[in-house]
Structures are given as structure tokens and as C-alpha cells.
Amino acid sequence: MSAYLLIPFLPLFAFFVNILFGRNFIKGQAHWIAVPAVTVSCLVSWVIALKMFMSHDPQIINEDLYTWISSGGFRASVGFLIDQLTAVMLIVVTTVSMLVHIYSIGYMHGEKGYYRFFSFLSLFTFSMLMLVMANNILQLYFGWEAVGLCSYFLIGYYYEKKSASDAGKKAFIVNRFGDFGFGLGIIMIFLTLGTVHYAEVFGSIGTLTGQGIVVLGFQMDVITLIALLLFCGAVGKSAQLPLHVWLPDAMEGPTPVSALIHAATMVTAGVFMVARFSPIFNLSPVAMAVVAVTGAFTAIFAGSIALVQRDIKRIIAYSTCSQLGYMFLACGVGAYGAGIFHLYTHAFFKALLFLGAGSVMHAMGGELDIFKMGGLKKKLPYTYWTFLIATLSISGFPLLAGFISKDEILFLAFASGTTVGKFVWVVGVITAVLTAFYSFRVFYLTFHGEFRSDIEEMKKHAVEHGHDPHHLLHEAPWTMRIPLLLLAFGAVTAGWIGIPAALGGHNKFAHFMEPVVGHPEVHAGHATEYILMALAIAIFIGGLLFARHMYITNRDLADKMAKKFSFAHYLLWNKYFIDELYHFTIIRPTMWVSKSFIVGFSDGKIIEGIVNGVPRAIGQISGFIRHVQNGLVHRYATVMGFAFLAIVAIAFIWR
Amino acid sequence: MVPLYWYMLLSAAVFCIGVYGFLARRNVILMFISIELMLNAVNINLVAISHYMEDLAGQILSFFVITVAAAEAAIGLAIIIALFRNKETVHVDEMKEMQG
């Protein structure tokens, strides 16, 4: 037994204890089991990751625990691989998970399903760790589906609420579309290479170069097909276009869930997967271009929607979509290291934004509309300062985590020397403007200006819903403040490990990741990098000042702009009508087919016909035969006698 | 020396009386006696042929038949008594609860 096994299995243990004994015995003390378990697993992760980071020749763990499935030529095991990529993911997952666990003690205090919440949070942590620590694709797929399931449970945590249970179902079903492709990709890998273990797959994938396959009448490159199918899974899980619709709705779940699952960890699984399969993607320029362009489009698309929304959590959710787009953009130009770097910094500042939003909601009695907030700076000092740090980090304040990683992505995209690289760079820069603007829009509307709600009414409302009105407009308890402070620390410092050479750093992160994901070609010098950096800083300042001008100094401007560009505003407010589009092209036809054809014909006539017809026929036949048995003994005897004679007669004749 | 076919004729006659009694009577006891007649007709046949063939196996088999018949009679009479206690009758047409 090795210590690393503690990392996934302690949260699993916490899950079993809480789910089995939570309802009747542990109840409100569930955190005493979940938090220590996740904390220990977090400490072990840090020890392993730091050991790898410090050593010049890092020890890579790759062990099979036991054979999971062995059937004919197919063999899959439960095994763990801890290399540089996994080490980074371990730190992200366990650290954010631990902080969210602690935060939830305060945030979920007194909830009815307290133990249920903590058990699913632990189960999620376990699944996510299985996903990142897998050494074969099937185990990755297990983790992939298990995190989806936990996400479903936790989005629908308030299952009495129709919108919450619907959002859970939506997340699950939309993910099915992506996972279908992912599953096919895994099957394709097994069919062509005969194995699902990473080492063997990556070792032999090169032999497929140039091989073609006919799919639906189209001649396709096998590797491109595999890469695109795998990317389907990433599109669903990481909420990229066109399967992004579930993520904003997923905000129906409790805020810690949004922070952990829908910002820091699960949604980044797609990026992790693409980076993990970089040996496959690298062999297919087509797939790489698809990844880069999908990422770029999602970044600008989600960023533009975030400009006009009013719901604080939804804005941050669209921001997550947009940042995930950046990560895919990076992977698509070959800069997997930069993509993972952004994943790692994003986990800190985005989790911080969500937890800060949770703290605001806590103080506002569940209110989500930023136009009903304002002036919370004085009331919530801790939340204010930590939220400010997160906002600065995401919008690119120099030397904060978000600045360094985003800058590296944009630089590597620009320097990749390809047309796709240049194109996504332009999109990325425009998105950076949007990011700075909408981040400060949320910040100013929430914390500055004057309070735009009626406090008396809020108190009345809180009492009606059985909440304690004393929580209103007060800072959250310590259990919620400490994670905010720690994450703020991360949002500032997380990027320092990857300071680029142009700024006098060594970009240790990229060198650390290089053995796993390689390093992209760079066709630009330091001078270009300085120019791009200056541009990024200009964008940050521009976005900040514009948001300030629009929402603080000149309050009417926002409305005027909305009127002037009424069509654009209408389009953005309704999220480009993607939900409506799916409603009319997929949901309506599906419902129509189910109602008219499946319920009316195939279910009603064929299935029920068979199910009811067979017993009815048997009943009729037996109703006829039963008359033979009339209960008269001598009738039986007569039949028996004549039958005997008949048999004897036949025996004679036959001879 | 009585020839074999006389015994066989006797046996056939007794058997036919048994079959007739079983089919014609409605009294359970009499039907039961008819069954015994049939069994004994078989026994006569067995013993006669055994003697004729000079093989003792037939006579031994007839002992088995007698034993089994005795056991069967004991059980059959017990069932008839139980039925009589319940239904106050030994008429078979009254006993047709098992009809379909």
C-alpha cells in the first residue's frame, strides 16, 4: 500500500460513512467526517506534488492496483498514474475541494440535507480524483461519468424546487450528447490499437498515421476521427459551444457546488482530457484546429452573454465558459502547458468569485440580481476585498495569477505562427476586453454605489421563508471567511510559479509540464511578448475604466447603450436564443415523437399488445381445455380404458 | 392337468368383471373391490404362467402385487373413510370438487 492511495479513497470512505449513518446518527455533524478526510488527502497531494516539483528527475508513479475487466483480448485495470499533469490536477482538485468543504460548513448550516450534501461532495471529490489519477482510458471514463452523476445530484440538491431538478436533468442529458462521442472514441481506440492503457496507446498511436477509414461515406483520417470523438466528450463536460447550455442552469445548485464542480474541477476535466491525450491530438492538425476554434468561439460567445446578464451566479458561470474556452484555445495551438496553467490559476480565482458570490447571497437572503445589490463594500469587508482580488486576477491585473496564465496563452497563440493561431489570438484579445468589463461590472454593481433594495422588505421576506433575518447584510461566519482568504492568497500567488522568462522568471511550470505535454513552437521574441503584455495591461485598464464609467460615474449610460444597441442587447440578454433553438429543433420534436408515436403506437399498441395479448390467449385456450376435467371418476376410467385399448391396437398395427 | 388357457380364461373373466364393476358402479367401496378383482385376475395369470413356464419369478411377482394391493387397500380405505366423514356419502358423482 502506498500513501498516494489515501488521496482518492479517504473521500470515498467519508462518503460511505456519511451516506450510511448521516440521516439517523451524524446529521449536522457530517463535516467532522468529510472535512478531515479531504484535508488529509489534500496534504498527501501537496507532499507528492511538491516532491515531484522539487526534484530534477521526478518519480512517476504508474501502478495497476488490480485487473478490473478481463474479457478476451480486452483488459482494463484499476491503476494509478501520477505524473506532472496529474500532480497539478491533484493540487487543484484537493485544495479547492477542501476549501469548499470548509466553506460549506457555514454556508449549508442548518440545511435539511446537510449530511447528503457532504456525502455527495466527498463522492464527487473521489470521482474527480479517480478521473485525474487513472492510468487507462476506461477508468478515466468511470471518473468522467461519476463526476457527471455527482454534478446531477448536487445541482438538483434542492430537488423540491422544479427549476433545480430540471437543471440537474438538463446537465445530465446535455452531457450525454458529448459522452456518446467520447465513448465512441474510446471504442475506436480499442478497435484500432487493442488496448486502453495510456502508455500502450500513446506508444502505438503513431502507427495509425495516414490510415483512413470510411465513416458515413466520408473518407476520414483515423487519428482525426478518434481525436474529434474524444473532443466531443470535452465539449459536453467543459460546456463549450454548442453544448454549453447546461452550465448556466447548473447554477441552481448550492453555491459551494458551483465553485467546486462548475468552476474549478469538473468542467476543467475536458481540458485535462485533451492535455492527457495530447499525443493523439498532436498527430491531427485538423482536430487541433477544431479544438482551438471551438475554444475561441466559446470564449467570445460566453463572454459577450456575460456582459448583459443580471444574475450574479450566471454571469460568473458564463465567465467560466469563456475561460474554459481560453484553455481549449491554448490546447488547440499546442500550448497544453499554458492551458493547464490557466486551468490551475482559474481554479483559484473562479472558486473565489463563486464563494464570494455565495457570501453575498448569504448576506442578501438569497437574492441574485446584481441590480438589487450595491454598496455592500462597508457591510461585507472580507467579501469585498477577496472579491476584488478575484476580479483583478480574472481581468488581468499585472502579476496576479490570471494575468500571467492568460498572457501566456495569448502569447503562445500569437507566436504559434499559424493562421489558426493568429485568428484565435484576435478572438482571445477581444474576449479579454469583455472579461475585464463584465468582471468589473459585477464588482461595481455589487459592492459600490448605493444599496438598491429595501432592507425592511428583505427582512420580511426572510422571515416568511424561515430564515434568520439577522444574517442579512452581515459578514458570513469564519468558516466561510477562511476559505475566501486562502483562495485570495492563491488567486494572487498561484501564477508566480510560471512567470515567463520575459519578466525575469524561469517559467518553471512550463518546464515542469514539458515531459508530459511537450512545448509548443514559439516564433516570436521577448520584444513581441512585451508588446503583447502592454496590450493586455491596456485592455485591463480600459475594461476597468469603462465599467466604472458606465456603472458608477455615469449611471444612465448603461440604459442608453442598451437602447441604442437594442437588438444586440436583446440578443445577448436572451443568450443568442440557443436554448430556444434547442427547444424547437430537439426538445419539441423529441416530445412530439414520444407522445404521438412511442406512447400512442409502439408502446400502446405493440408492447402492450404483446404484454396483454399473450396472457389473454393463454386464458382462452385453458378455458377451452378445462372442460376435459369434469371431476367424474368413471368418465376418467372410461377414457383411460379406451385409450389403453387404442394404444394396444396401435402397437399391434405398427408391428 | 388343467390346461393353461382355462386359467387364462378365468383370469380374463375376473378382469372383465372388475372393469365392468369399476365403470358401472357409483359406490366407492364397490369400485374399490373391483380394482382388487382386477389385481387378482392379474395374479391368477402370473401364477398360472409361472407354473407353465416352470419359472418362479412370476409367483414372486404375484407376492409383490398382493403386498402392494394390501398397502393400497389400507390407504384407499383410509381416504374413503376420511371422505365419508366429510361428505356423508360414498357416491362418486358427489365428489367432483376438482373439476375444471
Side-chain angles (χ1 to χ4, degrees):
Chain A
M1 287 290 278
S2 320
Y4 72 84
L5 288 178
L6 285 175
I7 300 172
F9 291 115
L10 271 178
L12 181 67
F13 172 74
F15 160 71
F16 277 122
V17 171
N18 273 336
I19 201 78
L20 291 177
F21 306 112
R23 184 196 285 255
N24 297 323
F25 303 106
I26 303 173
K27 290 173 190 162
Q29 306 300 316
H31 56 271
W32 285 113
I33 291 152
V35 173
V38 178
T39 308
V40 172
S41 107
C42 177
L43 290 177
V44 178
S45 308
W46 273 93
V47 169
I48 288 178
L50 283 180
K51 233 195 288 177
M52 283 182 90
F53 192 68
M54 294 301 176
S55 98
H56 292 288
D57 178 28
Q59 208 69 45
I60 287 168
I61 300 169
N62 185 1
E63 296 186 331
D64 280 355
L65 209 58
Y66 68 94
T67 304
W68 178 16
I69 301 169
S70 175
S71 158
F74 181 78
R75 216 179 61 78
S77 50
V78 173
F80 294 96
L81 166 70
I82 303 182
D83 59 1
Q84 288 87 342
L85 177 59
T86 303
V88 173
M89 291 304 290
L90 283 183
I91 289 197
V92 169
V93 173
T94 54
T95 308
V96 177
S97 172
M98 177 186 76
L99 295 175
V100 165
H101 269 80
I102 296 172
Y103 183 88
S104 307
I105 299 173
Y107 189 85
M108 300 302 288
H109 181 76
E111 290 279 347
K112 206 171 64 190
Y114 192 75
Y115 79 93
R116 184 160 56 91
F117 182 80
F118 271 95
S119 39
F120 287 137
L121 220 51
S122 303
L123 181 65
F124 170 79
T125 310
F126 161 74
S127 318
M128 190 68 203
L129 290 166
M130 288 299 274
L131 192 164
V132 299
M133 293 171 84
N135 77 345
N136 60 74
I137 308 174
L138 205 67
Q139 192 181 333
L140 172 88
Y141 194 64
F142 160 76
W144 192 268
E145 294 300 329
V147 290
L149 181 71
C150 295
S151 158
Y152 166 75
F153 285 147
L154 287 166
I155 295 170
Y157 175 76
Y158 298 113
Y159 55 83
E160 305 94 338
K161 226 167 88 182
K162 177 95 171 79
S163 59
S165 65
D166 281 352
K169 276 184 267 179
K170 185 172 178 182
F172 204 74
I173 293 167
V174 172
N175 267 299
R176 280 298 114 289
F177 284 87
D179 292 352
F180 182 65
F182 190 30
L184 286 181
I186 296 172
I187 292 169
M188 277 296 293
I189 289 178
F190 177 70
L191 284 180
T192 50
L193 300 174
T195 176
V196 291
H197 282 77
Y198 287 158
E200 294 161 21
V201 169
F202 299 155
S204 55
I205 187 79
T207 57
L208 294 179
T209 328
Q211 282 188 32
I213 188 170
V214 178
V215 184
L216 302 173
F218 291 101
Q219 181 72 23
M220 265 191 99
D221 188 40
V222 173
I223 296 182
T224 304
L225 180 66
I226 291 175
L228 287 178
L229 284 173
L230 293 176
F231 185 58
C232 279
V235 166
K237 192 63 76 195
S238 296
Q240 298 295 292
L241 274 177
L243 298 180
H244 67 286
V245 286
W246 66 271
L247 187 58
D249 284 22
M251 297 302 125
E252 291 286 345
T255 312
V257 171
S258 311
L260 175 62
I261 302 185
H262 305 121
T265 55
M266 184 187 87
V267 289
T268 62
V271 183
F272 165 79
M273 191 262 279
V274 172
R276 174 58 85 204
F277 291 131
S278 57
I280 299 179
F281 281 88
N282 280 335
L283 292 174
S284 168
V286 179
M288 291 288 271
V290 170
V291 173
V293 171
T294 308
F297 272 128
T298 310
I300 194 165
F301 175 86
S304 63
I305 296 176
L307 293 177
V308 301
Q309 298 297 312
R310 298 168 68 108
D311 177 326
I312 185 168
K313 282 183 75 184
R314 273 172 198 259
I315 297 171
I316 306 178
Y318 277 113
S319 156
T320 306
C321 255
S322 167
Q323 299 297 312
L324 289 164
Y326 268 118
M327 298 174 205
F328 280 110
L329 184 160
C331 292
V333 297
Y336 301 100
I340 296 295
F341 188 36
H342 196 55
L343 187 166
Y344 157 77
T345 57
H346 172 258
F348 291 99
F349 59 72
K350 189 50 65 60
L352 178 54
L353 280 176
F354 267 119
L355 294 187
S359 181
V360 169
M361 281 168 65
H362 190 260
M364 294 291 294
E367 181 59 60
L368 284 163
D369 188 345
I370 48 175
F371 282 90
K372 291 189 180 158
M373 300 173 186
L376 295 177
K377 179 183 172 185
K378 292 245 168 52
K379 309 272 188 193
L380 310 169
Y382 286 92
T383 312
Y384 171 75
W385 286 108
T386 50
F387 204 92
L388 174 63
I389 290 171
T391 308
L392 289 173
S393 193
I394 188 176
S395 50
F397 185 81
L399 290 184
L400 294 192
F403 170 78
I404 299 172
S405 55
K406 197 192 292 177
D407 199 54
E408 185 170 343
I409 289 178
L410 290 177
F411 172 66
L412 289 174
F414 183 80
S416 68
T418 58
T419 325
V420 174
K422 287 282 191 299
F423 172 71
V424 297
W425 176 78
V426 173
V427 179
V429 167
I430 299 171
T431 309
V433 181
L434 303 181
T435 310
F437 177 76
Y438 69 67
S439 301
F440 275 101
R441 174 175 174 265
V442 172
F443 175 73
Y444 282 131
L445 284 175
T446 310
F447 292 102
H448 285 272
E450 65 233 37
F451 190 59
R452 289 181 293 271
S453 284
D454 186 0
I455 180 69
E456 292 307 319
E457 206 164 287
M458 277 170 62
K459 276 188 179 157
K460 227 162 61 191
H461 191 256
V463 172
E464 271 170 25
H465 284 73
H467 296 300
D468 186 356
H470 295 293
H471 284 319
L472 288 175
L473 298 190
H474 275 286
E475 190 64 280
W478 276 108
T479 45
M480 289 167 69
R481 278 184 245 174
I482 290 170
L484 289 179
L485 294 173
L486 288 173
L487 282 172
F489 179 73
V492 175
T493 60
W496 294 355
I497 172 180
I499 293 179
L503 290 179
H506 299 288
N507 205 348
K508 276 193 178 156
F509 192 89
H511 292 300
F512 179 62
M513 295 296 290
E514 210 174 324
V516 187
V517 296
H519 199 269
E521 295 172 40
V522 178
H523 301 286
H526 283 338
T528 324
E529 200 168 351
Y530 288 130
I531 296 171
L532 292 182
M533 238 174 244
L535 179 65
I537 295 171
I539 285 170
F540 161 71
I541 295 172
L544 187 158
L545 290 179
F546 192 50
R548 186 175 175 80
H549 181 63
M550 214 157 153
Y551 294 102
I552 298 295
T553 44
N554 197 351
R555 282 298 330 269
D556 303 331
L557 189 59
D559 291 336
K560 272 188 211 151
M561 293 278 280
K563 284 218 180 67
K564 197 166 171 194
F565 301 102
S566 62
F567 177 72
H569 184 266
Y570 182 65
L571 198 63
L572 292 177
W573 173 245
N574 288 297
K575 308 153 206 161
Y576 293 102
F577 295 99
I578 297 285
D579 274 321
E580 285 75 8
L581 178 73
Y582 288 165
H583 186 78
F584 282 105
T585 56
I586 295 173
I587 299 173
R588 277 280 192 84
T590 310
M591 293 301 271
W592 183 80
V593 168
S594 350
K595 275 195 184 129
S596 58
F597 182 73
I598 296 182
V599 173
F601 180 68
S602 74
D603 217 55
K605 295 280 185 316
I606 298 179
I607 306 226
E608 287 200 14
I610 293 172
V611 168
N612 293 336
V614 169
R616 198 179 298 140
I618 290 176
Q620 276 171 355
I621 293 170
S622 53
F624 174 71
I625 293 177
R626 64 195 288 194
H627 296 299
V628 171
Q629 201 171 29
N630 56 10
L632 299 174
V633 182
H634 46 274
R635 182 84 59 82
Y636 297 164
T638 314
V639 171
M640 212 166 91
F642 280 109
F644 173 74
L645 287 179
I647 289 169
V648 170
I650 290 168
F652 264 103
I653 295 163
W654 225 256
R655 230 162 27 152
Chain B
M1 183 79 184
V2 186
L4 178 64
Y5 68 88
W6 282 25
Y7 289 106
M8 294 181 84
L9 278 177
L10 172 66
S11 165
V14 173
F15 193 84
C16 287
I17 291 166
V19 170
Y20 172 77
F22 187 75
L23 294 180
R25 294 289 176 167
R26 292 289 181 275
N27 186 324
V28 185
I29 307 277
L30 286 176
M31 287 168 75
F32 205 69
I33 291 170
S34 305
I35 293 173
E36 295 297 318
L37 276 180
M38 287 189 270
L39 282 168
N40 281 318
V42 174
N43 279 342
I44 292 169
N45 236 345
L46 280 172
V47 173
I49 294 172
S50 158
H51 183 73
Y52 177 77
M53 307 270 288
E54 296 183 336
D55 181 351
L56 281 178
Q59 299 189 27
I60 293 168
L61 186 57
S62 75
F63 279 121
F64 277 104
V65 173
I66 290 164
T67 318
V68 170
E72 179 242 308
I75 295 170
L77 283 170
I79 291 173
I80 290 166
I81 288 167
L83 273 173
F84 182 76
R85 279 193 187 151
N86 270 317
K87 304 190 74 82
E88 301 272 313
T89 177
V90 287
H91 199 271
V92 282
D93 286 353
E94 313 273 309
M95 301 172 194
K96 50 179 190 178
E97 277 79 17
M98 297 280 278
Q99 73 175 354

